[in-house]
Amino acid sequence: MTRRSWRRWQDWAALVIGVLTALSPIVVSTDAGAAWTLVVFGVLLAATGLWSLATPDSVASEYVHLVLGVLLFISPWVMSFSTYGGAAWTSWIAGVLAVLVGLAALPAANAEHRGLAGQH
C-alpha cells in the first residue's frame, strides 16, 4: 500500500482554518494578547495541517488538531480577550472547526496507519 499524502480534505480544512485564524487580526479588533494568541494558534494549526497532509498515517497529528482546537476555543477566557467580539468569535469558531475536522480525520488516519503498519 502506498501513502496517499496531500489528499485528505480534513487536513486541507485544518490548514485553511489555521491560515485564516493567523491572518484574522488583520480584520478583527484585538489587543496585543489576542492578536498573538490567534497568530500562534493559527500557525500551529496550519503547521499540523501540513504535517497531516504530508504524513497521512500520522494519527498523532489529528490528536494535535483536537488539542489545538480545544485550546483555541478556551483562549478568549484564558487570555482575557472575550470582550473583543471579533477575536473571540474567531477563536471559538476556529476552535470548534478544528476539533470537528480532527475528529473527522481520525478514522482515515487510523486506517492509513493500520494499512502501513501491516506492511512491516
Side-chain angles (χ1 to χ4, degrees):
M1 174 183 254
T2 59
R3 288 180 14 171
R4 297 174 45 131
S5 57
W6 305 97
R7 295 180 185 244
R8 210 167 28 231
W9 70 266
Q10 299 94 329
D11 300 329
W12 283 106
L15 174 64
V16 170
I17 294 164
V19 168
L20 292 175
T21 301
L23 294 176
S24 68
I26 296 171
V27 295
V28 298
S29 157
T30 66
D31 64 0
W36 277 108
T37 301
L38 291 170
V39 169
V40 168
F41 278 120
V43 167
L44 290 173
L45 190 55
T48 59
L50 287 172
W51 171 23
S52 294
L53 284 164
T55 57
D57 60 319
S58 172
V59 179
S61 63
E62 306 307 336
Y63 284 110
V64 173
H65 291 160
L66 296 173
V67 170
L68 288 173
V70 169
L71 292 174
L72 193 54
F73 185 82
I74 66 170
S75 67
W77 297 292
V78 174
M79 300 301 290
S80 301
F81 66 90
S82 60
T83 57
Y84 290 93
W89 277 101
T90 299
S91 192
W92 294 325
I93 292 168
V96 167
L97 291 175
V99 168
L100 291 175
V101 297
L103 288 173
L106 273 175
N110 278 319
E112 187 81 23
H113 180 72
R114 280 192 305 274
L116 289 176
Q119 295 268 317
H120 299 301

